Amino acid sequence: MEKSTSTIKTQEASNYIGKLCRHFRHKIEAEYTPTTGRAVFPSGTCEMLAMPDQLIFDITASDTENVEKIKGVLVRHLLKFSYKETLHIEWQDGITSSTD
Protein backbone atom coordinates (compact mmCIF):
# COMPACT_ATOMS: atom_id res chain seq x y z
CA MET A 1 0.00 0.00 0.00
CA GLU A 2 1.17 3.50 -0.83
CA LYS A 3 0.54 6.45 1.47
CA SER A 4 0.69 10.22 1.30
CA THR A 5 -0.05 12.86 3.93
CA SER A 6 -0.63 16.59 3.84
CA THR A 7 -0.97 18.99 6.75
CA ILE A 8 -2.59 22.25 5.67
CA LYS A 9 -2.70 25.35 7.87
CA THR A 10 -6.24 26.67 8.15
CA GLN A 11 -8.74 27.74 10.78
CA GLU A 12 -11.53 26.22 8.64
CA ALA A 13 -10.52 22.54 8.73
CA SER A 14 -13.82 21.26 10.15
CA ASN A 15 -15.80 23.32 7.64
CA TYR A 16 -13.74 21.98 4.72
CA ILE A 17 -14.12 18.36 5.84
CA GLY A 18 -17.88 18.80 5.95
CA LYS A 19 -18.01 20.41 2.51
CA LEU A 20 -15.73 17.80 0.94
CA CYS A 21 -17.56 14.82 2.40
CA ARG A 22 -21.03 16.19 1.57
CA HIS A 23 -19.86 16.77 -1.99
CA PHE A 24 -18.11 13.40 -2.34
CA ARG A 25 -20.99 11.34 -0.95
CA HIS A 26 -23.01 12.03 -4.07
CA LYS A 27 -20.69 9.61 -5.89
CA ILE A 28 -18.68 7.65 -3.30
CA GLU A 29 -18.90 6.52 0.30
CA ALA A 30 -18.06 9.48 2.56
CA GLU A 31 -18.76 10.22 6.20
CA TYR A 32 -17.74 12.92 8.63
CA THR A 33 -17.99 14.38 12.11
CA PRO A 34 -16.94 17.89 13.15
CA THR A 35 -13.33 16.68 13.52
CA THR A 36 -12.93 13.70 11.17
CA GLY A 37 -13.83 12.60 7.68
CA ARG A 38 -13.40 9.54 5.51
CA ALA A 39 -13.82 9.29 1.75
CA VAL A 40 -13.60 5.88 0.05
CA PHE A 41 -12.59 6.33 -3.58
CA PRO A 42 -12.55 3.43 -6.06
CA SER A 43 -8.76 3.61 -5.96
CA GLY A 44 -8.13 4.20 -2.24
CA THR A 45 -9.14 6.01 0.93
CA CYS A 46 -8.58 9.44 2.42
CA GLU A 47 -8.83 9.95 6.16
CA MET A 48 -9.29 13.59 7.21
CA LEU A 49 -8.61 15.19 10.57
CA ALA A 50 -9.54 18.72 11.66
CA MET A 51 -7.33 20.33 14.26
CA PRO A 52 -7.87 23.89 15.56
CA ASP A 53 -5.39 25.34 13.07
CA GLN A 54 -4.78 22.60 10.50
CA LEU A 55 -6.38 20.06 8.20
CA ILE A 56 -4.69 16.70 7.78
CA PHE A 57 -5.26 14.38 4.82
CA ASP A 58 -3.98 10.78 4.98
CA ILE A 59 -4.32 8.90 1.68
CA THR A 60 -3.87 5.16 1.32
CA ALA A 61 -4.06 3.46 -2.07
CA SER A 62 -2.74 0.34 -3.78
CA ASP A 63 -0.11 2.19 -5.83
CA THR A 64 1.44 5.59 -6.54
CA GLU A 65 -0.78 6.27 -9.55
CA ASN A 66 -3.92 5.90 -7.43
CA VAL A 67 -2.47 8.06 -4.66
CA GLU A 68 -1.87 10.78 -7.27
CA LYS A 69 -5.45 10.49 -8.57
CA ILE A 70 -6.86 10.99 -5.08
CA LYS A 71 -4.52 13.91 -4.43
CA GLY A 72 -5.77 15.57 -7.61
CA VAL A 73 -9.42 15.17 -6.62
CA LEU A 74 -8.81 16.47 -3.09
CA VAL A 75 -6.76 19.48 -4.18
CA ARG A 76 -9.20 20.52 -6.94
CA HIS A 77 -12.19 20.38 -4.62
CA LEU A 78 -10.44 21.90 -1.60
CA LEU A 79 -9.23 24.86 -3.66
CA LYS A 80 -12.77 25.37 -4.94
CA PHE A 81 -14.18 25.39 -1.39
CA SER A 82 -11.38 27.54 0.07
CA TYR A 83 -11.60 30.45 -2.37
CA LYS A 84 -11.61 32.94 0.54
CA GLU A 85 -8.11 31.93 1.67
CA THR A 86 -4.87 30.81 0.08
CA LEU A 87 -3.89 27.33 1.21
CA HIS A 88 -0.39 25.89 1.01
CA ILE A 89 -0.70 22.18 0.15
CA GLU A 90 2.38 19.96 0.19
CA TRP A 91 2.36 16.19 0.23
CA GLN A 92 4.71 13.81 2.02
CA ASP A 93 4.69 10.51 0.17
CA GLY A 94 5.38 7.20 1.84
CA ILE A 95 4.56 8.54 5.30
CA THR A 96 2.66 6.27 7.68
CA SER A 97 -0.82 7.67 8.28
CA SER A 98 -1.41 9.46 11.56
CA THR A 99 -4.89 7.90 11.73
CA ASP A 100 -3.60 4.28 11.64
Side-chain angles (χ1 to χ4, degrees):
M1 296 300 279
E2 296 294 321
K3 296 180 181 279
S4 189
T5 299
S6 183
T7 302
I8 303 156
K9 291 185 181 186
T10 180
Q11 301 290 314
E12 298 295 322
S14 179
N15 185 32
Y16 294 148
I17 287 175
K19 287 182 178 184
L20 287 165
C21 288
R22 283 191 300 274
H23 179 78
F24 290 153
R25 73 179 174 196
H26 293 287
K27 293 188 176 185
I28 62 170
E29 178 186 335
E31 58 190 25
Y32 66 98
T33 71
T35 58
T36 64
R38 184 171 199 265
V40 181
F41 297 89
S43 56
T45 302
C46 180
E47 302 287 342
M48 304 170 215
L49 181 62
M51 305 295 282
D53 62 351
Q54 60 188 3
L55 170 60
I56 300 170
F57 289 143
D58 283 323
I59 298 171
T60 304
S62 58
D63 56 38
T64 303
E65 181 180 340
N66 285 319
V67 168
E68 293 301 319
K69 286 180 187 177
I70 295 171
K71 284 182 192 178
V73 170
L74 289 169
V75 169
R76 279 192 308 277
H77 287 85
L78 182 59
L79 292 177
K80 190 180 303 183
F81 296 137
S82 67
Y83 65 92
K84 292 182 181 180
E85 70 176 312
T86 301
L87 299 179
H88 182 70
I89 305 168
E90 285 189 19
W91 295 94
Q92 295 178 332
D93 296 331
I95 302 299
T96 302
S97 300
S98 64
T99 55
D100 281 346

